[in-house]
Amino acid sequence: MAASVSLFGIRHHGPGSARRLVEALDALQPTAVLIEGPSDASDLLPLLADPEMVLPVSLLAYAEDDPANATFFPFADYSPEYQAVLWAVRNGALLRFIDLPATDRLARRAALAPGEEEEEEEEARLTARDEDPISRDPIGILAEAAGYADGESWWSDVIEENPHPGPVFGAVADAMSALRAETQGIAADEAAREAHMRLEIARATKETDGPVAVVCGAWHVPALAEKRSQADDRALLRGRPKTKVKATWAPWTTPRLARASGYGAGVAAPGWCAHLWQTRATSDGDTEWLTRIAGLLRDKGHFVSTASVIEAQRLAVGLAALRERPSPGFDELREAAISCLCFGNPVIWDEIAPELLVGTGVGAIPSAAPLAPLLEDLQRQQKTTRLKPEALERNLSVDLRSDSGLARSTLLHRLNVLDVPWGRLADAGRSRGTFRENWTLCWQPEFSVRLIEHLVYGSTIAEAASARIVERIAAEPELDRLAALVREAMIADLPRAVGSGIAALEHKAALTSDCRALLAALPSMADILRYGEARAGPAEHLALLMPRMVIEAALALPYAVRNLDPEAAEAMRDAILDADRAIALAELAGDVVESWYAGLERLLGDDQATRLVAGIAARLLYEAERLAAGDAIILLGRMLSPGTPIREAAGFFEGFLSGAGQRLIHDEGLRGAVDQWLLGLDEDSFVANLPLFRRVFSALDRMERRRLMDALLARGGRPGGGYRLLPGAAAAWPAHVARVTDLLQAGART
């Protein structure tokens, strides 16, 4: 070779490895730095050294024809590869990735059927477990030989947390060489990767006269040091698939660096790794960690004294000595903190663990970085709206009357249209009017991929969201979901989509005669009219369309509620209740409201109308004072009369009384009609309908149940509480009181 090659076997995201690597590079002063990573993304490496780059970030590579086929290569401040990049840029060294290009990896993934890649990986894992434990967990084998229970503890003691590790890289190379000599071969893909890296190393040595530094996973060091024929290596790579790929930098999050997130190369505690890197294993590092723990506990309201911190430090040192470790590590400091700072209570530790060990950090990409258009637009709008992506959930309340609040809301709604739920709407603020929204924000790295997937719809978030929702509108056959899409477009301020949706809504509403479909569309339309005030949206067409749909639904209602089965009856009941609230919310003209109530009134005299729905209609009319109290009592008496089949009477009972607790308490005539019906039930009929009765009475709160019992007993225990009972009913009154009392108490337990 034209230049000497030094191989540095590291652990990805290892702060100790990163520290020793920087020391080794300072000593070697290489003219070329080669790093394990996709070779076709080498031109993006210098951007990591941009002062505006805030870690963690990830190299994102995706297939041009299928952005969902993507792969990430994360970097943190304490990643050895990142520190190698900084050193190379700072010292003007040649800088390259040398692993198989992303074109190879993504092409192979694209050739597999959905789920096939996971199956192959699982099969390979099981094979390695059964046939070759060394390649499955080489660090674990070394740890076992050294008397450690697991590889993590051994590597931490020897490399990551050891302030005086000695000649690290030579020892790691020797250990890996010994292990690989005992393996039973490697997988074809791994052999291809190592062949490609050897070829890239050979190419670099011909292009430079000075030393060449290679930074790679420790397992690969022996294979890269081997003398292999370049012809043989090229033969291994011949015929491998390729696909067109694009690559960029994307923000990453500290929670996604954790192994618990599913990231295979992740670390147990990103916060601890960041601490190890920042303190650089100084003598005060342990004290700084314990002091931070104390600060977090104090922020949570716990009392932690300085003396307790000192005792925790002493205990950690004692535990390390007892376990024959070179210095207190993560486990010793954690156990000491729980004992001395958390009063031995792990629950207190759990309060601060997410913030301490994982954190909420989200990276940022410099403006000079080549971004996919939607990612670039998002970054621009994040700055404009002053919305900073964070990895842990936080609440955000926006006022739609302010320009800044409206801009934030619009951005979050548009992202939801693009399947990027950075914000989840927790409460539209109905109790305080329509001008406030409450969001829960949490950024996830995969949102970047989802935005790239939607590039087919447009290059800006507004353009892509509009095209995406127009496509959904065109494909939506159901009237209620179509109305919901129009509402979604209105709230996201997508005028073209709103126009398309209203046109589709008008067309489908004119063609349908399905009463339930018409009713189900009304709530979303009422919300659109309401949001039209908050967002100055174009609701004029809906103001004309909604009254027509209400009238059409009212005319079809008597025919739509006949002889329904229980499931269909419950669905129709819910649709009528939602529609009634929507009509009140939209404040429609009086003649439209009269048409609605006329449709409900027709159900009361229709013997074929399903009684559950008829009961709902009667209650709505009664509450709207369209059914007089006397008429309601007569109606209840007829519907609950002894001659009415128990099932029909029970259905009307549920429809009329569910949610009508206050009416039952204060309306003596209404209560008397119910009493008369219950008194007329024999024991078998009462028991058969007991679940229904309990469901109705369970809706009453504690005070409502107490007041209903007072009204039932009339405080003097007089049968009927002041209204007349049918002949013979007085004798059954005590048993009736016992029945209802049991129902009310059962409702309280429910």
Side-chain angles (χ1 to χ4, degrees):
M1 291 186 177
S4 63
V5 176
S6 297
L7 301 170
F8 299 103
I10 52 89
R11 174 188 176 177
H12 303 299
H13 312 306
S17 295
R19 187 178 303 113
R20 305 311 164 202
L21 177 62
V22 172
E23 293 170 356
L25 293 176
D26 285 338
L28 181 64
Q29 291 294 309
T31 56
V33 176
L34 309 181
I35 299 172
E36 179 185 334
S39 57
D40 49 353
S42 294
D43 57 327
L44 294 175
L45 274 174
L47 284 170
L48 273 178
D50 191 305
E52 294 182 19
M53 184 75 81
V54 179
L55 274 69
V57 296
S58 177
L59 180 66
L60 167 62
Y62 58 95
E64 284 190 29
D65 58 349
D66 181 16
N69 182 13
T71 185
F72 289 101
F73 301 88
F75 293 83
D77 285 313
Y78 46 82
S79 300
E81 299 92 334
Y82 171 67
Q83 293 301 324
V85 169
L86 295 184
W87 192 96
V89 172
R90 187 168 57 245
N91 290 274
L94 174 69
L95 179 62
R96 283 179 187 160
F97 278 137
I98 58 172
D99 206 342
L100 279 174
T103 57
D104 183 293
R105 179 172 183 172
L106 296 180
R108 184 177 177 278
R109 178 183 294 175
L112 298 175
E116 189 175 337
E117 181 182 24
E118 290 78 5
E119 292 176 4
E120 283 199 1
E121 290 178 353
E122 178 67 8
E123 183 178 351
R125 185 186 67 80
L126 293 174
T127 300
R129 182 192 66 186
D130 297 335
E131 298 181 0
D132 192 357
I134 294 178
S135 61
R136 173 177 58 86
D137 185 15
I139 302 300
I141 298 298
L142 293 175
E144 184 179 354
Y148 281 77
D150 59 90
E152 183 77 20
S153 300
W154 178 82
W155 187 269
S156 295
D157 277 359
V158 174
I159 307 293
E160 306 302 342
E161 300 173 12
N162 190 348
H164 308 292
V168 172
F169 297 109
V172 168
D174 291 341
M176 293 301 161
S177 296
L179 288 174
R180 288 192 68 134
E182 300 297 324
T183 60
Q184 302 174 15
I186 59 175
D189 280 342
E190 189 169 332
R193 290 180 58 201
E194 292 173 346
H196 191 278
M197 287 192 274
R198 284 192 294 268
L199 291 173
E200 288 295 310
I201 293 170
R203 181 165 74 96
T205 59
K206 295 177 181 177
E207 296 176 2
T208 182
D209 294 329
V212 174
V214 178
V215 181
C216 62
W219 177 251
H220 299 298
V221 169
L224 301 188
E226 286 183 9
K227 301 296 183 181
R228 295 280 187 94
S229 162
Q230 292 188 19
D232 291 342
D233 282 342
R234 292 191 182 96
L236 280 176
L237 301 176
R238 192 172 297 123
R240 294 186 67 84
K242 296 186 182 299
T243 187
K244 290 186 177 180
V245 166
K246 287 188 176 181
T248 185
W249 292 109
W252 202 249
T253 66
T254 51
R256 295 303 294 272
L257 290 169
R259 191 180 302 117
S261 70
Y263 173 35
V267 294
W272 171 249
C273 291
H275 163 76
L276 289 177
W277 173 251
Q278 292 161 2
T279 59
R280 295 182 179 271
T282 63
S283 58
D284 294 331
D286 297 343
T287 304
E288 290 181 22
W289 181 249
L290 291 170
T291 301
R292 185 182 174 198
I293 293 173
L296 291 174
L297 289 170
R298 289 167 185 154
D299 291 342
K300 296 290 185 181
H302 299 286
F303 176 76
V304 180
S305 67
T306 303
S308 296
V309 176
I310 295 172
E311 287 302 315
Q313 168 68 11
R314 290 174 176 170
L315 178 57
V317 172
L319 287 172
L322 185 65
R323 295 168 180 172
E324 298 182 348
R325 288 190 162 183
S327 64
F330 172 75
D331 289 335
E332 288 75 29
L333 291 169
R334 178 180 61 84
E335 293 170 18
I338 292 174
S339 297
C340 299
L341 308 184
C342 302
F343 313 104
N345 188 352
V347 175
I348 298 177
W349 170 264
D350 292 341
E351 289 184 36
I352 64 168
E355 183 176 355
L356 176 72
L357 305 182
V358 179
T360 62
V362 177
I365 308 302
S367 55
L371 293 176
L374 284 178
L375 291 175
E376 186 176 1
D377 187 40
L378 174 61
Q379 186 167 290
R380 183 168 52 250
Q381 293 197 48
Q382 285 172 337
K383 292 180 180 178
T384 301
T385 58
R386 297 181 180 179
L387 280 178
K388 181 181 179 181
E390 295 177 341
L392 289 187
E393 289 188 353
R394 74 177 180 94
N395 296 325
L396 174 71
S397 180
V398 299
D399 188 339
L400 302 178
R401 292 169 294 187
S402 68
D403 291 340
S404 61
L406 186 59
R408 288 179 169 187
S409 173
T410 299
L411 173 60
L412 293 173
H413 279 293
R414 287 175 175 175
L415 289 173
N416 274 313
V417 171
L418 296 174
D419 303 321
V420 178
W422 178 19
R424 298 192 308 275
L425 194 58
D427 178 12
R430 288 183 171 87
S431 62
R432 293 176 288 175
T434 62
F435 296 99
R436 186 168 297 278
E437 289 179 340
N438 297 316
W439 294 85
T440 301
L441 305 183
C442 183
W443 180 262
Q444 300 294 339
E446 59 265 24
F447 292 164
S448 299
V449 175
R450 295 186 189 175
L451 283 176
I452 291 173
E453 289 178 30
H454 287 87
L455 278 171
V456 294
Y457 295 105
S459 58
T460 67
I461 290 173
E463 181 181 300
S466 182
R468 173 82 171 93
I469 209 165
V470 165
E471 179 184 75
R472 292 168 61 192
I473 286 170
E476 182 53 63
E478 300 295 333
L479 199 61
D480 57 333
R481 289 201 287 265
L482 183 58
L485 287 173
V486 176
R487 178 185 181 276
E488 195 174 348
M490 172 76 77
I491 296 174
D493 191 20
L494 303 171
R496 184 170 75 89
V498 171
S500 176
I502 290 176
L505 200 58
E506 289 178 326
H507 177 70
K508 283 186 170 58
L511 296 178
T512 188
S513 58
D514 185 342
C515 177
R516 185 175 156 195
L518 291 167
L519 294 175
L522 297 180
S524 292
M525 298 180 71
D527 278 347
I528 294 170
L529 293 174
R530 181 191 66 190
Y531 269 100
E533 298 177 9
R535 301 173 181 271
E540 296 84 359
H541 290 287
L542 291 179
L544 298 175
L545 177 60
M546 185 174 178
R548 298 204 305 267
M549 292 176 63
V550 171
I551 293 172
E552 186 175 348
L555 293 173
L557 189 58
Y559 307 99
V561 303
R562 290 178 175 173
N563 304 316
L564 299 178
D565 61 41
E567 184 177 352
E570 289 184 7
M572 182 60 75
R573 175 196 60 187
D574 295 341
I576 290 174
L577 289 172
D578 291 341
D580 188 74
R581 284 190 289 265
I583 291 167
L585 181 65
E587 299 180 346
L588 300 179
D591 59 334
V592 178
V593 177
E594 289 296 332
S595 297
W596 170 245
Y597 287 129
L600 294 177
E601 287 172 0
R602 284 193 286 272
L603 303 186
L604 305 185
D606 188 348
D607 292 337
Q608 298 184 62
T610 303
R611 292 302 174 90
L612 175 68
V613 181
I616 285 292
R619 176 161 71 85
L620 293 177
L621 291 168
Y622 188 72
E623 291 176 348
E625 300 181 353
R626 303 295 177 123
L627 180 65
D631 293 336
I633 293 170
I634 294 172
L635 176 65
L636 277 170
R638 176 166 61 87
M639 292 294 187
L640 305 181
S641 66
T644 304
I646 296 299
R647 183 175 179 180
E648 293 184 10
F652 189 89
F653 178 86
E654 180 181 7
F656 191 89
L657 293 178
S658 291
Q662 291 293 330
R663 291 278 183 181
L664 201 57
I665 292 168
H666 298 291
D667 195 322
E668 190 173 280
L670 178 64
R671 195 170 61 253
V674 175
D675 279 333
Q676 296 282 15
W677 180 64
L678 289 174
L679 280 164
L681 295 177
D682 59 35
E683 190 66 23
D684 290 341
S685 298
F686 183 84
V687 171
N689 288 283
L690 196 56
L692 167 65
F693 299 150
R694 285 181 172 170
R695 186 163 67 245
V696 170
F697 285 116
S698 68
L700 303 178
D701 61 31
R702 180 179 179 183
M703 183 58 67
E704 286 176 334
R705 287 191 296 272
R706 180 177 177 181
R707 294 172 69 180
L708 184 56
M709 290 176 67
D710 286 344
L712 177 67
L713 297 172
R715 295 179 181 171
R718 291 178 290 113
Y723 47 80
R724 296 182 60 185
L725 297 175
L726 294 174
W733 182 256
H736 169 66
V737 171
R739 278 178 172 181
V740 176
T741 301
D742 179 68
L743 282 174
L744 292 172
Q745 291 174 346
R749 291 192 296 271
T750 302

